[in-house]
Amino acid sequence: GAVVSQHPSRVICKSGTSVKIECRSLDFQATTMFWYRQFPKQSLMLMATSNEGSKATYEQGVEKDKFLINHASLTLSTLTVTSAHPEDSSFYICSARLDRGQEQYFGPGTRLTVT
Amino acid sequence: AQSVTQPDIHITVSEGASLELRCNYSYGATPYLFWYVQSPGQGLQLLLKYFSGDTLVQGIKGFEAEFKRSQSSFNLRKPSVHWSDAAEYFCAVGAPTGYSTLTFGKGTMLLVSP
């Protein structure tokens, strides 16, 4: 149990366009989802915390207008990278947490390449 | 603020040998502690977690970790490493409130030699 999926697994887009990444909890309801960014050979950097039905909480230094997060249901959160630039190229990982406890279940990640 | 230190960037272990990956944390009280494993291009998989109770925690894939409060450590161990264990390992801490975020260490890359 506790499976989290992400779609797409990899995407290539042109500079200036927007890209949407979906994160779904397949077999449980997640009141909280998290979005991370991971640079090559580095750790995960938390970008934002997303609670169902409310606005996301962004970490310091993360542009909320550039990285739009929507958590419309208990099983779906989306990250939209707006007006993407090559420096936005990265590995984006989402996770979902059950209602209580600290355990987060991670998606397989999305590789974004902006050309 | 909480922080996690994984002092070893990478470690090479012979197949069949034992493994210990180090993790030290900084937190005002006893946090929730986790070990995750990441294969190349993949997400993270939870190996084990410590919330309270027995300080020796058993996880999946034959891994275990021991919480040592006096040393602020949560080292990961495996008695006999398999080639499929080669991956990146992340230690993480979270506040014991049930709803806070996780802080990850920088990770340790495990290489397994034949």
Side-chain angles (χ1 to χ4, degrees):
Chain A
V3 178
V4 176
S5 70
Q6 277 183 247
H7 178 80
S9 58
R10 58 179 64 232
V11 57
I12 301 173
C13 71
K14 293 187 184 295
S15 186
T17 62
S18 295
V19 174
K20 180 184 285 188
I21 302 170
E22 291 186 348
C23 176
R24 293 182 185 271
S25 55
L26 298 184
D27 51 2
F28 67 100
Q29 293 185 328
T31 54
T32 305
M33 289 185 171
F34 303 87
W35 287 96
Y36 295 85
R37 183 172 180 177
Q38 186 178 31
F39 292 100
K41 301 187 185 303
Q42 294 192 27
S43 188
L44 282 74
M45 181 190 77
L46 179 65
M47 298 174 66
T49 301
S50 166
N51 289 295
E52 185 265 339
S54 62
K55 291 183 178 180
T57 301
Y58 290 81
E59 295 299 301
Q60 191 172 10
V62 178
E63 300 175 61
K64 61 179 68 176
D65 294 330
K66 180 167 189 62
F67 298 100
L68 300 178
I69 291 172
N70 181 273
H71 193 159
S73 76
L74 287 172
T75 59
L76 174 65
S77 176
T78 60
L79 168 67
T80 301
V81 183
T82 63
S83 187
H85 288 94
E87 56 265 30
D88 299 324
S89 298
S90 192
F91 194 56
Y92 292 88
I93 305 176
C94 74
S95 70
R97 185 169 66 194
L98 295 171
D99 185 34
R100 290 195 62 85
Q102 282 277 18
E103 193 160 340
Q104 294 183 26
Y105 298 93
F106 285 80
T110 296
R111 172 74 60 194
L112 169 63
T113 303
V114 184
T115 61
Chain B
Q2 58 200 43
S3 65
V4 179
T5 301
Q6 293 180 247
D8 303 304
I9 297 173
H10 52 78
I11 281 181
T12 301
V13 176
S14 298
E15 189 168 16
S18 64
L19 168 71
E20 182 169 30
L21 301 182
R22 296 182 290 166
C23 172
N24 292 95
Y25 67 89
S26 175
Y27 189 73
T30 299
Y32 289 170
L33 296 158
F34 306 82
W35 274 101
Y36 287 90
V37 61
Q38 183 182 35
S39 296
Q42 300 295 315
L44 276 67
Q45 181 183 22
L46 180 67
L47 287 176
L48 47 77
K49 62 189 178 187
Y50 173 78
F51 286 179
S52 64
D54 192 346
T55 57
L56 185 61
V57 180
Q58 301 297 320
I60 63 171
K61 303 185 179 185
F63 286 93
E64 66 177 27
E66 185 172 12
F67 167 60
K68 292 186 177 180
R69 185 193 310 271
S70 62
Q71 300 177 20
S72 296
S73 68
F74 188 57
N75 294 348
L76 182 71
R77 300 195 294 249
K78 186 170 185 178
S80 177
V81 168
H82 188 262
W83 64 266
S84 60
D85 293 324
E88 186 97 30
Y89 290 79
F90 292 96
C91 180
V93 301
T97 59
Y99 292 99
S100 74
T101 58
L102 294 179
T103 300
F104 285 85
K106 293 186 182 297
T108 297
M109 174 63 73
L110 172 64
L111 305 173
V112 180
S113 61

